[in-house]
Amino acid sequence: MVTRIKNGRKVAQDRALDAAAKVQKNVKRAVAGTLGISGERMTKVDTAWLRMDGDANLMMIVGVWQLAPGVTYAAVCDRIEGSLLKYNRFQQRVMEDAAGATWVHDRQFDLAHHVVRESLPEAAKGMNQQAALQDRVALLATQRLDPKRPLWQIHLIEDYTGPDGVKGSAMVVRIHHCIADGIALISVTMSLVDGGAPPPQQRKKQPAGNAEDWLTDMFRDTLLKPFTDLTVKALGAVGEGASRSLGLLELLNDPKKGTPKNIEKGVGASMRMSADMAKVLLQVVKDGAALALMPDDSKTRLKGKPGGVKKVAWCDPIALDEVKAVGKALNCSINDVLLSCVAGALGEYLKSHGDDVTGQEIRAMVPVNLRPLDQAYKLGNRFGLVPLVLPIGVDNPIERVYEVRRRMAELKGSYQPLLAFSLLAVAGLLIKPAQDMMLNLFAKKTTAVMTNVPGPRDKLTFCGSTLEQSMFWVPQSGDVGLGVSILSYGGGVQFGVITDSLLCPEPQRIVDEFLPEFAKLSVVTLMLPWGD
């Protein structure tokens, strides 16, 4: 009897010790995840994008490549293995914890899960499969990436026939925004194409830090770095005046230089520097207030509660040289001309539904790059956002393009991109409900997210095939249901739209207005009374 009791105690002790060991292991794993010890800690800005996924909008960058002639699955896998996988991030998965997230190496990484063969529906076979491809892109834009694997996927359609009847292949690329922003992904793209830039060399992994190191890094990356960038920009604005005012210091070292004229110059420069700094600080306050106090956007059918089902459309490219010619004639930039055509296309779409757009305007959030281009290979997110108000209610194309030019000029020198970047960094510190509440305040005042990216002038090749067309869309957040993408590539400019089907069930009708709007602007430009 005594032996049984002792044995029972021994079993209970062993079970208790085993349970305690498991608890200790879980606590260690949790602490390691919290401190970033088990992998590379995700920055707070990237964490904000990771947590921004919603039921209606997923934070994925979605792109489409059309290639001719076609490429094989084996060739694509070989190219991915020799280029894309040289970036550590594409073999790392995300482990979330209470304090954020960590990048960890995926020990079960399998390229077959990330490069997937697809085929379009049989009913779409024939001379033109573009509509079927658009439907497939729209569906993939609503499907979440597997959180247990690295957050990217390429869908290869080996046999694809475009609108021109040329047979080739199509690739749909999905990459979560927490991996990188658009500028960084352009760097990635250039390592994929034939003869492109080599991927970055693998760096030796740094030893894991302790809690103090992690707190230091968090303070630096989340709070200090964004505001340091802001300070550097401010100092750059007043640097010239500061260098001139250093003449006062020379007077202290060499009194002989202290002529009334030199003293007057030094004092004047110092006063100008102070005035410049005050001007910069005033601009920062003004831009911060403009972001915080943005008025509500115009209530159009393009704004409302999205349902989560997407629609995608794009048009054939227009000649970039023609856009340049119109811009030069009107003393406007290419950007001014294209954005004016976007505003016109959106206005015409709304008018085709019987809506009165007189005096109406809609706000689009436009990403602005904040990193040196030679550092794009580092991936991650280093961009800000500026709100651009599009004058969709201005019917005259000449008046509209000059109004766009005026508004773009007002945004030059703005600190709003850096302020928005800082806001994202702070949002990444918060729990998801608080982050959603903060960022949705801006989403509610926005109708669209819009990108305008200049690509290579000459067409690229991939696995020996020509990249004929390229298009991509950045994600929309909150209740924003419209994404507009403008991409110049290979001597042409292409216009694409992604929409929520509840707010805009036929985005092709918006796309189809883009070329007529440009043609209208071109004709009116030719009709202007030019001098000799």
Side-chain angles (χ1 to χ4, degrees):
M1 185 66 155
V2 174
T3 302
R4 288 181 180 177
I5 293 174
K6 287 182 177 180
N7 288 339
R9 288 176 179 173
K10 183 69 168 60
V11 171
Q13 289 175 348
D14 290 343
R15 289 178 177 175
L17 289 172
D18 184 54
K22 289 181 178 178
V23 170
Q24 185 180 24
K25 182 179 179 181
N26 289 335
V27 169
K28 284 182 177 180
R29 288 180 62 186
V31 172
T34 301
L35 301 182
I37 293 175
S38 61
E40 180 185 351
R41 195 64 182 166
M42 183 181 289
T43 69
K44 291 305 173 185
V45 173
D46 295 344
T47 301
W49 285 106
L50 176 69
R51 292 174 171 175
M52 224 181 292
D53 281 331
D55 294 333
N57 286 313
L58 299 178
M59 297 301 104
M60 291 187 299
I61 297 174
V62 180
V64 182
W65 278 10
Q66 295 181 40
L67 301 149
V71 294
T72 65
Y73 179 81
V76 172
C77 288
D78 286 345
R79 179 59 58 86
I80 297 299
E81 198 163 6
S83 56
L84 192 67
L85 298 189
K86 298 298 182 181
Y87 293 85
N88 288 332
R89 192 68 79 239
F90 290 90
Q91 293 191 69
Q92 293 173 328
R93 61 189 181 91
V94 175
M95 289 184 64
E96 291 193 69
D97 52 65
T102 304
W103 297 105
V104 296
H105 182 72
D106 183 6
R107 295 178 181 177
Q108 281 78 44
F109 180 83
D110 184 354
L111 188 59
H113 289 296
H114 297 274
V115 182
V116 183
R117 265 195 182 108
E118 295 215 7
S119 59
L120 296 177
E122 289 295 328
K125 296 290 184 181
M127 293 301 293
N128 190 346
Q129 293 179 293
Q130 180 167 291
L133 177 60
Q134 291 175 341
D135 289 342
R136 185 58 184 153
V137 172
L139 183 61
L140 288 171
T142 64
Q143 294 181 355
R144 292 177 183 267
L145 294 162
D146 188 349
K148 297 179 181 178
R149 303 183 188 277
L151 297 174
W152 65 275
Q153 202 164 37
I154 293 175
H155 305 259
L156 173 64
I157 301 164
E158 290 180 287
D159 298 314
Y160 172 74
T161 303
D164 54 3
V166 176
K167 294 184 180 298
S169 298
M171 285 171 50
V172 183
V173 181
R174 299 190 298 152
I175 301 176
H176 200 285
H177 214 311
C178 69
I179 291 179
D181 56 34
I183 294 296
L185 291 178
I186 288 176
S187 176
V188 172
T189 298
M190 295 311 295
S191 73
L192 282 172
V193 299
D194 298 341
Q201 296 295 317
Q202 296 276 7
R203 295 185 178 181
K204 187 176 180 181
K205 187 176 180 181
Q206 296 294 322
N210 55 27
E212 185 178 353
D213 294 335
W214 173 74
L215 288 171
T216 301
D217 290 343
M218 184 201 73
F219 176 78
R220 181 195 66 213
D221 295 336
T222 304
L223 300 176
L224 189 60
K225 194 169 185 179
F227 290 104
T228 299
D229 291 343
L230 187 63
T231 304
V232 167
K233 187 173 180 181
L235 290 176
V238 299
E240 186 179 352
S243 63
R244 289 195 301 265
S245 69
L246 289 177
L248 288 173
L249 298 180
E250 291 184 12
L251 302 181
L252 298 177
N253 294 327
D254 189 355
K256 293 180 180 180
K257 294 183 179 180
T259 63
K261 185 175 181 181
N262 287 340
I263 294 175
E264 184 180 348
K265 281 179 64 177
V267 171
S270 180
M271 292 178 65
R272 284 193 296 272
M273 183 193 72
S274 299
D276 289 343
M277 179 61 80
K279 191 182 298 183
V280 168
L281 294 175
L282 181 62
Q283 185 66 42
V284 171
V285 173
K286 180 180 177 182
D287 289 340
L291 279 176
L293 303 174
M294 282 190 299
D296 291 340
D297 216 355
S298 296
K299 293 181 179 180
T300 69
R301 65 177 60 244
L302 297 173
K303 190 167 180 61
K305 190 71 176 176
V309 177
K310 299 289 186 182
K311 291 288 186 179
V312 169
W314 59 79
C315 65
D316 291 331
I318 62 175
L320 181 58
D321 286 342
E322 294 182 15
V323 180
K324 289 181 178 178
V326 171
K328 185 176 181 180
L330 297 174
N331 194 27
C332 293
S333 69
I334 295 174
N335 202 37
D336 296 335
V337 173
L338 295 175
L339 294 179
S340 173
C341 292
V342 170
L346 292 172
E348 289 299 319
Y349 170 78
L350 293 172
K351 286 191 286 185
S352 71
H353 284 80
D355 299 342
D356 182 11
V357 298
T358 305
Q360 297 240 357
E361 49 191 26
I362 62 173
R363 186 178 292 108
M365 298 303 290
V366 181
V368 176
N369 179 47
L370 295 178
R371 83 169 93 216
L373 293 179
D374 60 355
Q375 294 182 19
Y377 69 91
K378 294 182 179 180
L379 303 186
N381 289 275
R382 291 286 296 170
F383 72 96
L385 296 165
V386 293
L388 174 63
V389 180
L390 295 171
I392 62 172
V394 178
D395 192 54
N396 186 298
I398 300 295
E399 291 180 11
R400 190 191 316 124
V401 74
Y402 283 134
E403 180 61 20
V404 168
R405 186 182 68 172
R406 184 187 67 79
R407 297 182 184 194
M408 290 297 293
E410 289 179 350
L411 292 175
K412 289 180 181 177
S414 170
Y415 294 91
Q416 289 185 13
L418 281 168
L419 292 169
F421 178 78
S422 302
L423 178 68
L424 283 171
V426 172
L429 284 170
L430 307 175
I431 60 174
K432 181 170 171 51
Q435 174 185 307
D436 291 344
M437 186 179 299
M438 174 187 282
L439 298 180
N440 282 343
L441 290 175
F442 292 90
K444 289 178 180 178
K445 297 178 180 294
T446 303
T447 295
V449 175
M450 185 164 59
T451 58
N452 185 1
V453 178
R457 294 182 180 180
D458 299 319
K459 290 187 176 181
L460 306 173
T461 59
F462 174 77
C463 296
S465 297
T466 301
L467 176 55
E468 295 291 351
Q469 289 189 23
S470 176
M471 182 56 60
F472 75 96
W473 296 268
V474 297
Q476 303 85 57
S477 62
D479 288 343
V480 178
L482 173 63
V484 180
S485 177
I486 305 172
L487 178 67
S488 61
Y489 167 73
V493 179
Q494 201 158 8
F495 176 60
V497 172
I498 184 168
T499 64
D500 186 272
S501 62
L502 278 183
L503 303 178
C504 178
E506 298 178 284
Q508 192 65 48
R509 292 180 60 179
I510 297 177
V511 168
D512 290 343
E513 295 290 348
F514 184 70
L515 185 56
E517 283 301 309
F518 177 71
K520 191 190 306 181
L521 178 61
S522 301
V523 170
V524 176
T525 301
L526 291 173
M527 294 173 64
L528 290 176
W530 302 106
D532 293 333

